[in-house]
Amino acid sequence: MAAIGLGAFEDDARFRLLVSAITDYAIYLLEPDGTVASWNTGAERMKGYAAEDVIGRHFSLFYIAEDRAAGLPQAALATALAEGTFTAEGLRQRRDGTRFPVHVTLHPIRDADGVHVGFAKITRDLTPQKRAEEALRESEQQFRLLVQGVVDYAIYLLDPTGRVVNWNAGAERIKGYSADEIVGRHFSLFYPQDDRLAGAPDRNLRRALDEGRYEEEGWRVRKDGSTFFAAVVIDPIHDSAGRHIGFGKVTRDITERRENQAQLEAARADLFQAQKMEAVGQLTGGMAHDFNNLLMVISSSLELLRRRLDPVDAAAARLVENASRAAERGSSLTSRMLAFARRQDMQRRLVDPGTLVRGMAELLNHSVGPSVTVEMRLPLRLPSIIADPHQLETSILNLAVNARDAMPAGGTMVVSTEPRVLEAGNAHGLPAGTYVAMAVSDTGTGMDAQTLARAVDPFFTTKGVGKGSGLGLSMVHGFAEQLGGTLLLESSPGEGTTATILLPVAQDTRLGGKSPRGDHDAPAAANALKVLAVDDDYLVLMNVTTMLEDLGHEVIEAGSAADALAALADGKPIDLVITDHAMPKMTGAEMIAALREDHPAMPIILASGYADIPGGPPPGVVRLSKPFSQGALAAAISEALGKQAKVEWR
């Protein structure tokens, strides 16, 4: 075989130096039969052979055994000669036997006369590229596995028109479609019909493309037709050349979170309402307490004045009677205010609710008038409850009057009672257990949601000016809560209203009770007593003193608990103590505890309009509710002396 004439290559030393200096490519010449004729530094670095080790040897030396057996070296030379070039990728073998991926190019070389004199061969080591490609493939595979493994998010691709390209496990779980069922279909399938008709799917894609991202929360539809509330993100996807090739879409089911948020907001609203009602209750209770003291002065003064009037002065008697009735109305108003504030003094006793409501039938018929038909739906037997029967009757009568006023043209009022079992976590916030429900329903105008929400607010009324104080329902609500129950209101416009008092069934049926002390005429005192009267309100103290003196007793006045204890410490003979409870620095209950250390058998009356005395009234103490009449005062004195007699007998 003739040697290759290097011609200009031999003359151009600089070119030879350039080729020799290249280290990233193996560049060498082959004789026409494939024998190596030259060798550069890149070839030595890549294949491990020095020039003297390889020049003169056939280039098939670099092929792996399988390719040599298949005749690939000869085929490469033939292709290059026939087609003017040969390009391929494959595996080659280094001197140490290791294999590596390469990209090879073969060009036939011809002299000036067109005679084929050999081949130029360029080999590039693809190991770094293949490693990068493999790493990319592994990364993509891991990413696919990651996306496919996510079950809490629907993650999938859309083509530029919005058709689903792929589908992950989360999408299948959330939306109910398998990949075979959904790939190729338009993603508008997941939108509610109204949104589809309004063009929302395509509009959202346009916004994502125009703005670079689109986010929203809204309703979506599953395969079975059920809906769920979703958080959606749509991102446009572009290739490396910047061409838009589709959209990436992520959907998360946030129905539970939305429901929890709604419950949290409802709880916050309930807390706000409770705080508002508590604040109003405290204000109302304080006002009622002060008003009670004023009524105490007014009513007791009128009662004492009535006893001193000239019997023949009828005009003066009428004026006193009118004033007394006004004081009674004021007392009723404070009673409602205290009931709302849950500070009302109640005479709790065991009550049969069925018997109580059944006994009110005639009263209810008279109260609502002939235009309203009253139906009583009462079971023969009901479990007993603990309540103040007088206040329970007043509460039911309040509900009946409200029902009558809601039916100006007449209608039907149904009064019913039934036992009701509440489970733990009930909507009313009451402890689990058995309750008695006493309901008054009407066929009247009903209330809208806004009115219903404010119905138990104090002083809120839909009645005309002068036709209601706005305390009726709030009084019933406070009364029921004070007994461990609640007031339920159900109403809608045109559908009437049902008001239900829910009270817990009595657990201790041994509780007895006494009827409240009547306002009968004051009896004359059997024995004159020396009474220590204690009240921080001077007007109240003065009238209590006057009533006691009118009963024939001698009175020592004290304007505070400290003054009262000082009077007792001075050794003054005292037969009985009557004290207010709500006093500054030291309450009546605290004063009683102090004086009992030296006077354990002292007869004591605790007068207060409040029910919530911390720890309850001290044992052996007679309670007297403000405002009280002279007759009630006389009865309390007799009861206190009776308690003392029992102590002394023991």
Side-chain angles (χ1 to χ4, degrees), residues 139 267 322 358 450:
S139 175
N322 285 343
R358 195 174 290 109
Q450 186 176 6

Side-chain angles (χ1 to χ4, degrees), residues 131-185:
R131 286 175 180 170
E133 290 175 356
E134 182 62 26
L136 179 60
R137 279 195 297 272
E138 290 180 0
S139 175
E140 290 175 346
Q141 177 65 15
Q142 289 174 352
F143 183 74
R144 282 195 296 272
L145 292 173
L146 171 64
V147 171
Q148 185 58 34
V150 172
V151 295
D152 291 332
Y153 290 79
I155 304 174
Y156 53 98
L157 295 177
L158 305 175
D159 69 14
T161 67
R163 296 191 178 279
V164 178
V165 175
N166 59 20
W167 198 243
N168 81 326
E172 182 170 345
R173 185 189 70 82
I174 293 173
K175 303 197 178 188
Y177 295 93
S178 67
D180 293 339
E181 293 173 312
I182 201 64
V183 170
R185 301 178 70 178

